[in-house]
Amino acid sequence: MSDIRPISLCSVLYKIISKILSARLKKHLPDIVSPTQSAFVAERLVSDNILLAHEILHNLRTNEKISNQFMVFKTDMSKAYDRVEWPFLQGILLVMGFSRTWIKWIMSCVSSVTYSVLINGQPHGHLSPHRGIRQGDPLSPFLFVLCTEALIHILNQAERMGKVSGIQFNGVGPSVNHLLFADDTLLICKATRDECSEIMHCLSQYGHISGQMINVEKSIVTFGVKVEEDTKQWIKNRSGIQIEGGAGKYLGLPECFSGSKQVLLGFIKEKLQSRLTRWYAKTLSQGGKKCY
């Protein structure tokens, strides 16, 4: 059962109510959500996170200071929507200053869900969950973004206390120690035992209060090219993240653009050709297919 992802079947009335609430909430998200989050927030682009991530990873290879001192964790939340604790969600909304009436509406939508298990097409059982937000609900992405603000607060607090260091490209620029796009998270810190332990403590603290868990099998750590091998191995063992990255993808694009651009971006051409092939196979006549 732990491997099964629940399917949300919402009634028409619920969808109308949820859409109204999400439309009202959407207007205020840019004012209350941290600038390091770009998912589901109006006037923020995924390309902003991609460009920053590429710049950080590029400096891990080329910048004399950064390549010697820093590393990046790319983490993935395990079943992010399904693990959100309802008391935690209610507490976040309360701390952010939402009206108690509004919170009551939101929690009524969240907690009204029930599940049945389909066996051979027939529903069995009646399950009442105590955590999780619906997949496919227009309200769920916004609520998840608000929940992630708790992790941002924990990371910012650790940086203010000097326990975690962010990358600063010049003396007057901002310090960047995290980038978030929904459940895809980049965590930046110095490649030291103390800062690695502090990052793990921050993730553990967030997981304890929110129910979120890091999927270490899908997470990656990228080190500066001059970080020592002994330090790399200790950090991998402490974090549980054994996969070393730098040549993978972040938000659908390559993390590093070194080498042949034609090879790196060839997947875009392949996807386009695949979609065009399906399109003309379904819609064109026999004569049109021959002309194509």
Side-chain angles (χ1 to χ4, degrees):
M1 290 296 293
S2 63
D3 297 328
I4 297 176
R5 186 176 296 278
I7 299 174
S8 301
L9 301 176
C10 304
S11 65
V12 174
L13 180 60
Y14 175 83
K15 288 181 179 179
I16 293 173
I17 295 172
S18 178
K19 192 68 176 179
I20 293 172
L21 293 177
S22 61
R24 291 185 178 182
L25 179 58
K26 184 178 180 180
K27 298 177 182 178
H28 302 284
L29 282 182
D31 299 326
I32 58 179
V33 172
S34 301
T36 51
Q37 289 207 77
S38 59
F40 313 118
V41 181
E43 300 182 0
R44 297 187 189 179
L45 303 174
V46 62
S47 57
D48 295 339
N49 273 31
I50 293 173
L51 290 172
L52 277 171
H54 284 169
E55 189 67 24
I56 290 170
L57 294 172
H58 176 72
N59 278 268
L60 285 177
R61 292 183 291 108
T62 61
N63 187 287
E64 182 68 26
K65 180 180 178 181
I66 293 176
S67 64
N68 189 50
Q69 296 183 358
F70 284 87
M71 64 180 178
V72 174
F73 288 110
K74 186 175 76 170
T75 63
D76 179 80
M77 296 290 181
S78 177
K79 296 186 178 181
Y81 280 21
D82 301 335
R83 292 183 179 274
V84 174
E85 297 286 350
W86 291 349
F88 167 72
L89 174 60
Q90 186 173 359
I92 283 290
L93 295 174
L94 189 62
V95 167
M96 286 189 166
F98 287 98
S99 165
R100 291 187 179 273
T101 302
W102 172 266
I103 296 175
K104 182 180 179 181
W105 293 345
I106 295 294
M107 296 310 300
S108 295
C109 290
V110 171
S111 60
S112 62
V113 63
T114 58
Y115 296 116
S116 293
V117 181
L118 289 180
I119 302 176
N120 297 326
Q122 298 297 321
H124 295 270
H126 186 80
L127 307 178
S128 298
H130 296 281
R131 67 176 182 179
I133 50 181
R134 290 181 174 96
Q135 299 278 345
D137 186 339
L139 196 57
S140 295
F142 303 137
L143 296 180
F144 184 79
V145 166
L146 294 177
C147 289
T148 314
E149 285 296 301
L151 175 59
I152 293 175
H153 173 74
I154 293 172
L155 292 170
N156 287 339
Q157 189 177 39
E159 186 177 18
R160 285 193 298 268
M161 296 174 65
K163 296 180 179 180
V164 173
S165 304
I167 287 181
Q168 192 174 21
F169 298 108
N170 58 58
V172 296
S175 175
V176 181
N177 78 336
H178 62 269
L179 291 173
L180 287 83
F181 188 88
D183 60 338
D184 287 318
T185 306
L186 285 185
L187 304 174
I188 303 101
C189 66
K190 286 186 176 180
T192 64
R193 299 187 179 191
D194 290 341
E195 295 210 6
C196 171
S197 298
E198 183 61 28
I199 287 289
M200 292 300 107
H201 175 70
C202 291
L203 292 174
S204 176
Q205 185 179 358
Y206 175 64
H208 178 71
I209 61 175
S210 69
Q212 300 290 333
M213 291 180 61
I214 298 298
N215 188 342
V216 294
E217 295 180 358
K218 292 184 178 180
S219 300
I220 295 172
V221 57
T222 304
F223 298 98
V225 294
K226 295 184 179 180
V227 176
E228 296 179 355
E229 288 298 327
D230 291 344
T231 303
K232 289 182 181 180
Q233 193 57 49
W234 189 93
I235 290 172
K236 288 180 182 180
N237 294 335
R238 172 64 179 85
S239 64
I241 302 173
Q242 297 296 325
I243 303 175
E244 191 170 340
K249 290 185 178 180
Y250 176 65
L251 301 181
L253 288 176
E255 295 177 359
C256 176
F257 278 95
S258 61
S260 172
K261 304 300 186 294
Q262 184 176 0
V263 174
L264 284 173
L265 301 177
F267 71 95
I268 298 177
K269 180 180 178 181
E270 293 174 1
K271 283 187 176 181
L272 181 60
Q273 287 179 336
S274 175
R275 293 190 179 186
L276 286 174
T277 300
R278 291 197 298 267
W279 171 76
Y280 80 73
K282 291 180 180 179
T283 59
L284 294 183
S285 64
Q286 191 67 30
K289 292 177 183 178
K290 291 181 179 179
C291 294
Y292 183 86

